[in-house]
Amino acid sequence: MLWVDKYRPRILDKMIVHEEVAQNLKKLVSEQDCPHLLFYGPPGSGKKTLIMALLKEMFGPAAEKVKLEQKAWKIDAGTRTIELELAMLASTHHVELNPSDAGFQDRYIVQEIIKEMAKNRPIDSKGKKGFKVLVLNEVDKLSKEAQHSLRRTMEKYSASCRLILCCSSSSRVTEAVRSRCLNIRVNAPSAEEIVKVLEFIAKKESIQLPPEFAARIAVQSCRSLRRAILSFETCRVQQYPFVMNQAIPPMDWEQYVSEIASDIMKEQSPKRLFQVRGKIYELLVNCIPPEIILKVKLLSELLKKLDAELKHEVCHWAAYYEHRMRLGQKAIFHIEAFIAKFMSIYKEFLIATFG
Amino acid sequence: MAEALAEEKILSRYAVEIDGDCMPVTSPSGDRVYAKMQTWKMGVEGLKKTRTEKIKDGLLSDPISDVIRKLDQDTFSKASLNNRESSSHATQLTVPIASEQLWVEKYAPCSFTELLSDEQTNREVLFWLKQWDSCVFGSQFRATTDDVVSALRHHSSAVQHQKTSDRRSFSVKGITPFSSQYGKPLKALDRHSDKVSSFSELWSKKSLVDPPHEQKVLLLCGPPGLGKTTLAHVAAKHCGYQVIEINASDDRSSSTIESKILGVVQMNSVTVDSKPKCLVIDEIDGALGEGKGAVDVILKMVVSDKKNSGEKEGSCQKSLAEKNPSKKGHKFATLLRPVICICNDLYAPALRPLRQIARVHMFAQPTICRVVNRLKYICHKEGFKTNSIALAALVEYTECDIRSCLNTLQFLNKKKETLHMFDIGSQVVGRKDVSRSCVDIWKEVFQKRKPKREKRSANLLGGNEDLEHMYSLISSRGDYELTMDGIHENLLRLPYHDPMMQKTVRCLDMVAVSDLLHQYIMRTQQMSLYVYQPPVTISISRIVARVEKPNIEWPKSLQRARAMFMERKDILKLWQNKISPIILRHLTFQNFAEDFVSFFLHVLAPPTLRPVALHLLSERERDDLAKLVNTMVCYSVTYKNSKVEHLQGPQNHGATSDIPMLSLDPPIHIFVNFKDYQPVYLELSLAMKQVLVHEVEKKRILLKSLDRSLFASRYRKGSNIDSKIAQNIQKVATAGRDSRPFLFKYNEGFTNAVRRPVKIRELLL
């Protein structure tokens, strides 16, 4: 097993990064009850790990015995029947699912399936745990309609069911849903925290980890714990014992984006834009989300090479096009529009400065 | 217009007696006189007068050119073995002016020479049909005999001559009832059609070679009203077929249509004199779901045809030898009769498979003057007053749709109105809701109209007619998403001049706006907002349109990207089903692609591993290997044999491609194989991979057996502690087993206790 999964803390007490949050959660469930919860935070910060540990705290080891189920549902929606298939992880006490997988039909998932599950109160042999937990991932990707129907469900079946929602940005969860939950923010771990985790793993694996190297990994991981641990293991596989100036292998897609960025800087023409389009398609095909491409990587790569006076304007346009991309449907159109805009600005700048 | 006026002083038996221009006139009885020619500006009264006078005098019921045509036809029909009855002339002369019939039907062309469509297309269609002759009639193409050829030459030259001299070139012959030929025996008919078809000598030469008939289906496509159906019918009749038409009004579900098609295409009628059938499937693109039935059946037949083409060829030869065409090919569902499919939109999705196997003929618009001539002739026949400018305007307005022209004219005739060229827009003229194909729209967007035409239309209907035209074009097509995809796809390859990228920015902004609008409409279901889609397209057109002809491609990349995206997702899904849920839960698609895959590939390919026997490895190496195998098992990754895929890497020589390649089993490495990008991760050597495959397999079996024994022991003992002990024992046992290289699988529960020999005799008793 990879270290990411091997050294994932299974109980709240063993949390290294979000110790405080973990302790609070522990107190919260000590009376065998909890409100609806909404975990939010950037990817790789440990939301799911916290949720799993919390479930274990609530239900004991039974929560860990999960199995994957592919369930097909038939939903009667007025005049037609909708057939949906959804993968879910279920134990006796909880169910995890990803309702946004259903795409535009997520509304029915929330309305019917969750309601159905929430209705059935589990019967415990000891008769004390009278509620079931539903873990919904990626709630921020749910459509507005689905979120609205979620809110009714949360109130109506709160006696028999607790919802744990998990998302990366709470701003895309409606106010109504947020106010019905206890919001728990899970920060991205700081570099020091990441180093602490890496040292913990190194100790367990009995590896010599120079602190400078650990710090470098932490910095390069962009505060994502998952990425940090993965790259740590990669370095270990690549070369051990570590040397001082050992290269940390970059992510392939990031490398590709920076290639695209340098392509853009080299030439500004419709023809070049057409080549770039092909490359962006490549990224999108390989499941890299368009927001990440535009905002996180492409913009920062471009900014690196820009003059200070242009940075402000480019950022403005990136935000503008990202907003439109989220409103629209075909991400490629908007990314391309941004690149064209950038090319135009940059070319104008070049001509103004160098004549 | 020249009109021969019969007056006492002008008419004479001798040309000498007339001063000025004269013209020979032959009466029906054969008397020949000369008439003085006078030019008349045709007024309304003048026309009326001449007509009444003409009838009164009974000298000529037809204009002179028609008479010449008749003569021509006479010689022609004599040459073609008198297979035209003399009564044809009589019918021709006494055409009743019956207004009950639709003009469209009344004046539908019945013979090949009368067709309005493009000459080239007509000939090619006919040629295609003739290629069936060897199969259907069992006869080769014949070279035409000399006298016929000469007659034909004469005839065609006459036609040619008339084309230039007389504006009503193709008018007279059509009234000859074609039905008179139907009673003729097959052979004569065949010959006749052969003659007619071989208008040019080149053809008859070509037909001797008898080229292999490759495309078994003919697909005619083009906008409505150009005469596709008419061409199919006329050509088929010409070649001696009986036309069976299946059109949109018939039941076109695939089961009924199959029997129908088979009936037409494979059977021969029992009666001797019946003609072979030719199937015309009209409006094949009409209904998507049901129209597909016909396409499927035809496809099936063509495919089966290709399979046993060799056999069929043989049977063809045989039948040729026996001169008995009716006895062949009933065994397989092959295509033995010509099939002509007609559609409006060549790019309809249902037609995609058909397009590849059929011979496709696009119908071009006939020239305006050709249509106008025909219209003029009809108007004249019906006694409807028009002038050619108005007719030309009408033709242009309806985009050469002769059907709609005729309907309009008939309507106006009924209303006793005249056609004025300035009213065409405002009059009740049936303007069609033409929905053009997407390709046409893209062309229209990217290509500026010819300035000449623009000017003329500006004169006609005001300055922004161009805009209006574009708007109606785009909105009548309706499929804005596809339209925009096409624009997006082709935009950057256009040759517009844009040094500062400003045009590009504006265009792409517009494309994005269209996308936003579409998404908004879909979300809020406010369909009325769709009216804002065409202006977006028009504004793009205003920015980038050039006069040069753009090279337009169908927008595939977006669809392809989508399909590949789904494919990749499916790969991941399949893979995730195999991983244990504890790991799976933290591995969403996004996480996988963003963070996981690059590092995972690195971890899977450590550079320190050496492909040597296990006992030669050092302690640490063995440890590393064990860890790697463990990881691979946990994430259910292995290597498997894959077909040789040509990596474009320069280090791959041709020699290595013969060796079987081992690639990762859930092919996760494709997630970093971007185009024009060399992934950073290391590829293991083949030997190492083989070692790993073996080890992983071993480990898996071990784990499985461990699981099973755990399971069994738990149920046997029932207590927790016991199972733990058992587990420990098992561990020891497996460790012991590890040291030995053999794995033995024992199948429990097999017994042959119930088997005993039984004799038949015992059973019978």
Side-chain angles (χ1 to χ4, degrees), chain B residues 147-160:
Chain B
D147 57 328
V148 178
V149 166
S150 64
L152 277 170
R153 197 179 291 145
H154 174 67
H155 177 76
S156 61
S157 70
V159 169
Q160 211 67 21

Side-chain angles (χ1 to χ4, degrees), chain A residues 64-72 85-92 94-98 101 137, chain B residues 572-587 589:
Chain A
E64 278 194 333
K65 278 178 200 138
V66 286
K67 61 175 183 224
L68 183 66
E69 286 174 27
Q70 290 280 355
K71 271 200 177 169
E85 211 184 279
L86 200 66
M88 52 178 73
L89 292 168
S91 78
T92 46
H94 84 284
V95 175
E96 291 169 54
L97 66 155
N98 200 346
D101 277 356
N137 293 321
Chain B
L572 279 186
K573 240 182 216 162
L574 273 180
W575 183 45
Q576 287 193 338
N577 284 341
K578 287 193 254 171
I579 311 175
S580 88
I582 296 163
I583 298 167
L584 162 67
R585 150 187 317 147
H586 301 281
L587 200 69
F589 297 139

Side-chain angles (χ1 to χ4, degrees), chain A residues 5 48 52 96 227 234 251-253 255-256 277 282 286 321 324 327 329-330 334 336 347, chain B residues 481 485 488 499 509 513 515-516 519 558 568 577 585 591 594-595 598-599 602 606 635 675 677:
Chain A
D5 295 311
K48 267 193 203 160
M52 286 310 121
E96 291 169 54
R227 205 181 279 187
T234 307
M251 310 273 295
D252 285 297
W253 70 269
Q255 200 73 6
Y256 197 59
R277 175 197 288 177
E282 280 283 310
N286 288 308
Y321 285 108
R324 290 175 79 158
L327 289 179
Q329 189 190 20
K330 288 170 183 157
H334 304 278
E336 215 174 289
K347 198 154 193 187
Chain B
E481 212 182 339
D485 280 352
H488 175 247
D509 270 357
V513 163
D515 177 44
L516 288 186
Q519 176 73 4
L558 195 70
R568 300 274 151 103
N577 284 341
R585 150 187 317 147
N591 288 343
E594 244 186 276
D595 297 338
S598 304
F599 294 128
H602 278 295
Y635 292 87
K675 202 171 66 187
Y677 177 76

Side-chain angles (χ1 to χ4, degrees), chain B residues 489-594:
Chain B
E489 177 92 6
N490 290 299
L491 182 66
L492 294 179
R493 271 174 289 187
L494 291 177
Y496 61 96
H497 180 67
D498 188 16
M500 294 298 287
M501 299 284 294
Q502 271 152 349
K503 280 182 186 173
T504 317
V505 169
R506 271 165 67 200
C507 286
L508 285 172
D509 270 357
M510 284 298 173
V511 172
V513 163
S514 164
D515 177 44
L516 288 186
L517 194 59
H518 183 77
Q519 176 73 4
Y520 185 78
I521 291 167
M522 291 323 273
R523 222 181 52 225
T524 57
Q525 298 286 307
Q526 297 185 34
M527 299 306 171
S528 55
L529 291 179
Y530 265 130
V531 288
Y532 295 109
Q533 285 279 17
V536 174
T537 316
I538 292 172
S539 63
I540 290 177
S541 160
R542 282 288 154 111
I543 300 170
V544 293
R546 297 273 110 183
V547 183
E548 297 101 65
K549 195 161 176 273
N551 194 8
I552 287 170
E553 277 179 29
W554 190 264
K556 287 191 211 106
S557 57
L558 195 70
Q559 302 302 326
R560 202 190 300 134
R562 233 175 241 173
M564 270 173 84
F565 180 66
M566 297 315 287
E567 199 181 293
R568 300 274 151 103
K569 268 203 158 167
D570 277 349
I571 291 172
L572 279 186
K573 240 182 216 162
L574 273 180
W575 183 45
Q576 287 193 338
N577 284 341
K578 287 193 254 171
I579 311 175
S580 88
I582 296 163
I583 298 167
L584 162 67
R585 150 187 317 147
H586 301 281
L587 200 69
T588 58
F589 297 139
Q590 193 190 329
N591 288 343
F592 171 80
E594 244 186 276

Side-chain angles (χ1 to χ4, degrees), chain B residues 80 83 112 126 130 133 137 142 144 152 178 181 186-199 203 234-241:
Chain B
S80 56
N83 53 9
F112 192 73
L126 200 63
K130 292 306 285 181
D133 275 8
F137 297 104
R142 259 166 298 221
T144 38
L152 277 170
F178 216 79
Q181 302 173 356
L186 225 155
K187 215 166 177 185
L189 216 155
D190 180 26
R191 207 188 298 163
H192 165 70
S193 53
D194 207 344
K195 274 170 221 149
V196 180
S197 70
S198 53
F199 248 126
W203 264 36
V234 167
K237 274 183 193 163
H238 221 106
C239 295
Y241 291 97

Side-chain angles (χ1 to χ4, degrees), chain A residues 185-243:
Chain A
R185 178 172 160 74
V186 184
N187 288 326
S190 65
E192 293 79 47
E193 281 174 317
I194 291 177
V195 169
K196 223 158 81 182
V197 174
L198 294 183
E199 274 166 356
F200 166 76
I201 292 172
K203 208 174 102 193
K204 282 267 180 187
E205 286 280 321
S206 56
I207 295 171
Q208 293 293 322
L209 176 68
E212 296 86 355
F213 189 60
R216 252 195 6 194
I217 290 177
V219 167
Q220 216 188 10
S221 66
C222 303
R223 296 181 72 190
S224 163
L225 194 55
R226 175 188 6 245
R227 205 181 279 187
I229 298 173
L230 277 167
S231 61
F232 177 41
E233 185 169 5
T234 307
C235 293
R236 158 75 178 75
V237 165
Q238 296 276 313
Q239 191 178 16
Y240 181 77
F242 298 118
V243 279

Side-chain angles (χ1 to χ4, degrees), chain B residues 375-485:
Chain B
L375 287 181
K376 241 197 231 159
Y377 162 71
I378 291 169
C379 284
H380 177 71
K381 274 267 169 208
E382 292 289 340
F384 180 54
K385 302 170 289 274
T386 51
N387 58 345
S388 41
I389 302 171
L391 280 179
L394 176 71
V395 168
E396 198 178 338
Y397 194 73
T398 55
E399 293 171 20
C400 292
D401 182 347
I402 189 151
R403 183 176 358 179
S404 103
C405 285
L406 278 181
N407 284 336
T408 310
L409 286 176
Q410 189 174 14
F411 180 62
L412 288 177
N413 189 30
K414 274 268 177 195
K415 275 178 70 185
K416 306 273 186 282
E417 278 179 25
T418 47
L419 183 74
H420 299 296
M421 67 168 281
F422 291 108
D423 304 341
I424 283 172
S426 60
Q427 239 163 354
V428 266
V429 179
R431 171 125 215 200
K432 267 185 309 177
D433 231 5
V434 233
S435 76
R436 299 275 206 83
S437 77
C438 278
V439 180
D440 287 335
I441 289 181
W442 296 325
K443 261 185 204 144
E444 202 77 30
V445 168
F446 292 138
Q447 193 174 14
K448 256 187 202 150
R449 292 277 205 95
K450 299 242 162 48
K452 178 195 120 204
R453 199 171 158 191
E454 213 171 341
K455 213 160 92 192
R456 199 201 289 173
S457 54
N459 283 342
L460 269 176
L461 295 156
N464 52 2
E465 190 261 355
D466 205 15
L467 212 96
E468 296 268 337
H469 169 75
M470 197 106 116
Y471 184 91
S472 66
L473 199 71
I474 296 163
S475 58
S476 63
R477 172 73 209 177
D479 197 351
Y480 302 119
E481 212 182 339
L482 183 60
T483 311
M484 208 36 91
D485 280 352

Side-chain angles (χ1 to χ4, degrees), chain B residues 58 216 249 276 351 392 530 691:
Chain B
K216 301 258 172 195
S249 58
L351 296 184
Y530 265 130
V691 169

